[in-house]
Amino acid sequence: MRVLITGAAGFLGSHLCDRLLSEGHQVIGMDNFITGSPDNLAHLAGDPNFLFIRHDVANFIFVPGQVDAVMHFASPASPNPASPFGYPNLPIQTMKAGALGTHNTLGVARAHGARYLLASTSEIYGDPEEHPQKETYWGHADPIGSRSVYDEAKRFAEALTMAYHRYHGLNTRIVRIFNTFGPRMRLDDGRVVPNFIQQALRQEPLTIYGDGSQTRSFCYVNDLIEGIYQLLLSDEHMPTNVGNPCETSILEFAQTINTMVGNPAGIVHKPALRLGDDPQRRRPDITRAKEILKWEPKISLEEGIRLTIPYFQQKLELAKS
Ligand code: NAD
Ligand code: UDP
């Protein structure tokens, strides 16, 4: 297939490019570098199967030649207001990537008769009252809270994708991605994994927002990419959760990282985020992915962290020099 991947210079997009190229596909990567980096694609320079187009997906998209699949991953993705790259600091860009970007990428897929895959998110479920979260749960999201620019854009993106499927018969898929981590995350993007690992490597206390009783379920990037690739190959049109159901509190997670890195500095508690701005519990129900895709994650949290630490070590050393 010849596949358009938007958000190609980001964390997940760049891993997707690698995976598709390794399967023998041709890839057109598109990005405007708003939160991503050319470094994530540097190793693909000169690859005859890879073409990069610098472009903002909020504007009309033209792709030369045939396109067999479109994977729309372009969007700022960090909720941390302390980070310049978090979506609360890029609110309009986040809404445009999710709304206009989805419209434009659906248009490309329709014009080329291509299959389509939307990167959606567990944020669809908001601060969930159902636990774990199944795809049938409608969610509990504040339409004007600090996360709303992201949540509502993604909810709109899902609705538009289903409208193209139902009205135009487009061959669509929607993946609801749960917290994922691994190499190529930005050091300064403000999400918990980069924050905790770099704080531990610097032998500083890990900053926990609130008492740390809130939970997340972290998936290592290779497992996630495998699930997404299987979904692309499938004919499943309904939203599908892909993530690791292994749930941990943020406090336990911080302790695990301190132990694994060997950080004696412990933790420090920062004020909790406003109610609704920090979902209290999150764990995917992956029954559908297991049944339809015959997929489930294989890499444990500890193994994933072990595979990620050297990347952040190297980034910190480069940042020092
Ligand atoms: P990221 O910030 O590393 O990557 C996003 C990429 O999109 C960046 O390279 C950025 O420059 C690009 N981009 C943003 N707006 C753009 C625009 N208007 N035009 C062109 N490019 C644009 O984030 P990520 O973690 O790799 O997330 C990728 C996708 O996966 C996002 O859609 C995100 O919502 C979704 N997702 C990620 C996670 C996760 O845990 N990583 C969880 C749920 C959903
Ligand atoms: N968090 C934290 N300290 C940090 C960064 C994040 O305690 O330095 C918490 C945050 O409050 C949330 C969880 O870690 O409960 C995951 O945050 P992240 O920004 O990675 O993503 P989210 O799942 O909230 O979208």
Side-chain angles (χ1 to χ4, degrees), residues 65-287:
Q66 150 212 356
V67 178
D68 304 301
V70 176
M71 304 182 82
H72 179 37
F73 277 69
S75 170
S78 167
N80 194 331
S83 156
F85 307 104
Y87 51 67
N89 287 310
L90 300 169
I92 318 282
Q93 294 92 330
T94 301
M95 295 212 79
K96 285 170 83 173
L100 306 180
T102 302
H103 191 214
N104 289 329
T105 52
L106 282 164
V108 173
R110 186 167 175 237
H112 289 266
R115 62 180 62 202
Y116 184 86
L117 186 146
L118 171 71
S120 184
T121 165
S122 53
E123 285 286 324
I124 290 291
Y125 304 119
D127 190 1
E129 290 167 319
E130 182 180 304
H131 192 76
Q133 292 80 53
K134 290 196 190 74
E135 290 88 347
T136 46
Y137 178 49
W138 293 354
H140 179 229
D142 176 355
I144 55 161
S146 75
R147 289 184 183 243
S148 63
V149 292
Y150 185 65
D151 301 1
E152 297 303 325
K154 292 287 187 180
R155 290 172 72 99
F156 174 91
E158 285 202 7
L160 192 63
T161 301
M162 290 308 291
Y164 267 66
H165 172 63
R166 292 180 177 129
Y167 189 72
H168 289 309
L170 198 73
N171 186 2
T172 59
R173 292 134 194 82
I174 297 173
V175 56
R176 291 188 180 151
I177 302 169
F178 283 67
N179 295 66
T180 301
F181 70 98
R184 300 193 192 155
M185 294 187 95
R186 280 187 92 108
L187 203 53
D188 48 0
D189 93 353
R191 282 182 272 188
V192 70
V193 173
N195 276 12
F196 281 4
I197 296 184
Q198 72 178 294
Q199 287 163 343
L201 287 169
R202 289 187 169 127
Q203 308 278 282
E204 292 168 1
L206 273 50
T207 52
I208 292 186
Y209 304 144
D211 63 7
S213 62
Q214 69 270 37
T215 70
R216 293 294 185 272
S217 305
F218 294 102
C219 186
Y220 186 65
V221 61
N222 291 16
D223 276 336
L224 182 95
I225 296 294
E226 173 63 22
I228 291 175
Y229 185 59
Q230 293 309 324
L231 184 62
L232 178 73
L233 300 184
S234 81
D235 281 320
E236 178 57 37
H237 303 303
M238 296 306 283
T240 306
N241 290 338
V242 177
N244 192 324
C246 168
E247 185 178 1
T248 170
S249 74
I250 294 302
L251 180 61
E252 283 164 354
F253 184 54
Q255 287 160 345
T256 304
I257 298 224
N258 273 340
T259 307
M260 288 182 67
V261 175
N263 177 23
I267 55 174
V268 61
H269 290 275
K270 300 266 180 177
L273 304 181
R274 189 186 73 97
L275 187 67
D277 285 350
D278 196 351
Q280 289 308 291
R281 296 187 302 174
R282 186 181 285 158
R283 170 153 60 104
D285 181 316
I286 58 164
T287 310

Side-chain angles (χ1 to χ4, degrees), residues 287-306:
T287 310
R288 176 175 287 168
K290 279 186 185 168
E291 282 174 9
I292 294 168
L293 310 177
K294 309 288 174 243
W295 169 88
E296 64 184 309
K298 295 195 170 63
I299 299 165
S300 69
L301 181 58
E302 283 75 13
E303 180 59 9
I305 297 288
R306 203 166 292 120

